[in-house]
Amino acid sequence: RDNNSRCNDYQPPIGLTALMPSSNIGVTLAEYPTFFFYVPDVNLEGVEGEFILINQDDQEIYKKIVALPAGDSIVRVKLTPTPTLPPLEVGKSYYWIFSILLDKVDRSGNTDVAGWIKRIEPNSAVKNQLVTATDKAKPAIYANNGIWYEALTSLANLHCASPNDKTINANWRSLLQQVELTEIAKKPLSQCN
């Protein structure tokens, strides 16, 4: 999941990392899910990110240029409906690539991470739990049912809304520790506003 970034031979302590299970596959319930990436502690002035989504037919169906905040923080990339991007289909897997475009011409020096996302239909028990659950209770329901993207997104939203809430902070750390991203759990979420 980690790639070394070549930035004048400087190696940041943690490379570009997707907030993902170690299997590199995560499931979602969303038609247009949100992805999270840790951006290394490097100078990103004038540097952009690029997110690409590829369908099962190996067709690029979405591309988004992402403004990068200061390094050493977590950036979120939300899929947005476009004429060419219909909702993710239930039962289908999609491949995504997120790159830091250090050099737009010679891409060999760029740093990227990649993984899979699959949209599923929740079973009736999960649906019923979610209908009655408070916003604070939803992340645990998602996490307990292996619905990675919503577990992460719902917790990130709570974390942004109540940055000093000890329980939410502990849950955020716990979720990321479960996928061996303990160090990244301490990093700031860059787009809370």
Side-chain angles (χ1 to χ4, degrees):
R1 281 179 300 162
D2 298 335
N3 275 349
N4 294 330
S5 71
R6 291 183 299 183
C7 221
N8 305 327
D9 292 331
Y10 164 71
Q11 293 292 337
I14 309 173
L16 174 65
T17 307
L19 276 61
M20 283 285 291
S22 52
S23 64
N24 240 17
I25 302 166
V27 300
T28 184
L29 306 179
E31 295 183 340
Y32 295 100
T34 301
F35 300 77
F36 291 82
F37 302 96
Y38 168 75
V39 175
D41 188 6
V42 293
N43 177 6
L44 294 169
E45 194 173 333
V47 175
E48 292 174 322
E50 179 185 70
F51 181 87
I52 292 173
L53 189 68
I54 295 164
N55 67 13
Q56 286 184 313
D57 299 324
D58 217 20
Q59 294 166 319
E60 183 181 301
I61 54 172
Y62 186 78
K63 181 191 252 183
K64 183 176 190 172
I65 295 296
V66 181
L68 294 177
D72 200 28
S73 65
I74 295 166
V75 62
R76 73 173 82 198
V77 178
K78 178 160 177 39
L79 289 193
T80 45
T82 66
T84 55
L85 183 65
L88 298 192
E89 290 182 57
V90 170
K92 295 266 177 87
S93 295
Y94 298 81
Y95 186 66
W96 53 259
I97 305 164
F98 180 71
S99 308
I100 295 181
L101 303 179
L102 298 165
D103 188 331
K104 289 179 184 167
V105 181
D106 174 13
R107 291 187 160 230
S108 65
N110 292 339
T111 301
D112 53 41
V113 285
W116 293 88
I117 183 168
K118 181 178 184 179
R119 186 172 171 214
I120 61 163
E121 189 68 54
N123 63 38
S124 54
V126 172
K127 272 187 185 164
N128 292 338
Q129 282 181 301
L130 290 170
V131 167
T132 55
T134 62
D135 284 347
K136 274 194 175 183
K138 283 179 180 173
I141 297 169
Y142 292 128
N144 292 340
N145 289 282
I147 304 164
W148 171 256
Y149 283 95
E150 276 66 46
L152 191 63
T153 303
S154 57
L155 255 183
N157 292 340
L158 289 170
H159 192 37
C160 281
S162 308
N164 300 317
D165 186 308
K166 287 189 169 65
T167 307
I168 292 168
N169 288 340
N171 291 345
W172 174 257
R173 283 196 304 274
S174 168
L175 182 69
L176 291 178
Q177 281 165 357
Q178 286 169 31
V179 293
E180 297 165 27
L181 297 175
T182 305
E183 287 304 306
I184 288 170
K186 302 170 189 167
K187 304 299 183 184
L189 277 155
S190 64
Q191 306 129 301
C192 272
N193 43 3

